[in-house]
Amino acid sequence: MHELKLMDVQKKYKEKEAVRQFTFTFTNGVYGLLGENGAGKTTLMRLICGILQPTNGTITCDNIRIAEMGADYRRLLGYLPQDFGYYGEFTANRFLNYMAALKALPADYVQGRIEELLELVDLKDMKNRKLKTYSGGMLRRIGIAQALLNEPEILILDEPTAGLDPKERVRFRNIISSLGKNRIVLFSTHIVSDVEYIADRILILKSGGLIGQGTESEIMNDVKGHVWQCVVPEREVQKINEKYIVSNLRNSGENVELRIISEFQPMNEAKYAEATLEDAYLYQMGKTPASIGGE
């Protein structure tokens, strides 16, 4: 089992901090990196992959800086970027063989591994079709297959379910979940339900800073007692929106049903509601970015 450790990692572009004082330790399991677009998720993943170098701070694997490990670290790594590039004229089988050659994998190992991965992502019957004929979901599955070619012990997936329909999203989540038993799996998303179903631990990123982390139940604990439901006249909705976090709004005749996140009862008629992970996420997003360490 490997230990991937980030200590006070910062990435700065001129005056913009894309990642700020990020500290966390990863061991085997599935980690969901949750944050809105522009929160710094992709930059953080590129830092972990060694594509970018931190402005400050250290990234180590088993107490060795990843920059010093070179090819030894790359052999441990599998990466699916958000913008996954592919050759449309290649068949799935040819493309995976091509990626295996780039990774310098032994020829006598490759074809058996490709067949195994095509089975895993349910594309074995489509392996001789050109990639340009594949749907978006099929292409994402080929993307994860190429990331797994070298049997990585650290798997980094950037927005792997982006643009997928609900059926493909469920299929992809099941694949990711099955991979986390014997390796570090880190995937990023801005879709709360993706992390809700498969992440062992959730990391919430805002403006480059880690503002919350823990298991689903630990993160939910923070918002318990702070979720309210009420019915108000439509004319009052805008004022309430400006004052509170409104996680849901539903029209009900001349009135509006609201779900409000607030540490205090927002109005006399408001009643407690059972919290969801989405409520907890929105509650955390109201915090100021800060470094919250995790071991």
Side-chain angles (χ1 to χ4, degrees), residues 8 12 19 23 29 34 65 126 130 146-147 161 163-164 173 175 184 190 195 202 226 236 272 279 288 293:
D8 293 325
K12 196 171 182 180
V19 173
T23 295
L34 186 60
R65 288 178 182 256
M126 316 285 281
K130 291 185 177 181
Q146 66 80 28
T161 62
L164 300 186
R173 287 200 306 242
I175 292 172
I184 296 169
H190 58 276
V195 298
I202 300 167
H226 302 327
E236 296 182 13
Y272 280 124
D279 294 323
T288 302

Side-chain angles (χ1 to χ4, degrees), residues 47-59:
L47 288 165
I48 291 172
C49 290
I51 298 168
L52 298 175
Q53 299 302 313
T55 306
N56 290 298
T58 59
I59 304 174

Side-chain angles (χ1 to χ4, degrees), residues 22-41:
F22 189 98
T23 295
F24 197 82
T25 299
F26 298 92
T27 53
N28 284 3
V30 179
Y31 298 82
L33 186 59
L34 186 60
E36 60 194 5
N37 292 331
K41 303 188 299 295

Side-chain angles (χ1 to χ4, degrees), residues 98-119:
Y98 171 73
M99 295 302 295
L102 291 181
K103 296 183 182 191
L105 298 178
D108 58 352
Y109 160 88
V110 168
Q111 199 53 51
R113 179 62 176 162
I114 288 174
E115 292 295 319
E116 181 184 334
L117 291 172
L118 288 169
E119 185 80 39

Side-chain angles (χ1 to χ4, degrees), residues 76-91:
L76 297 176
L77 196 66
Y79 177 46
L80 174 61
Q82 184 175 357
D83 298 318
F84 169 54
Y86 63 95
Y87 297 96
E89 292 296 325
F90 280 18
T91 64

Side-chain angles (χ1 to χ4, degrees), residues 86-99 114 118 126-134 139 142:
Y86 63 95
Y87 297 96
E89 292 296 325
F90 280 18
T91 64
N93 189 61
R94 184 183 175 192
F95 177 71
L96 292 176
N97 271 283
Y98 171 73
M99 295 302 295
I114 288 174
L118 288 169
M126 316 285 281
K127 67 179 182 179
N128 293 318
R129 275 182 49 180
K130 291 185 177 181
L131 295 183
K132 67 181 181 182
T133 69
Y134 276 25
L139 287 171
I142 282 295

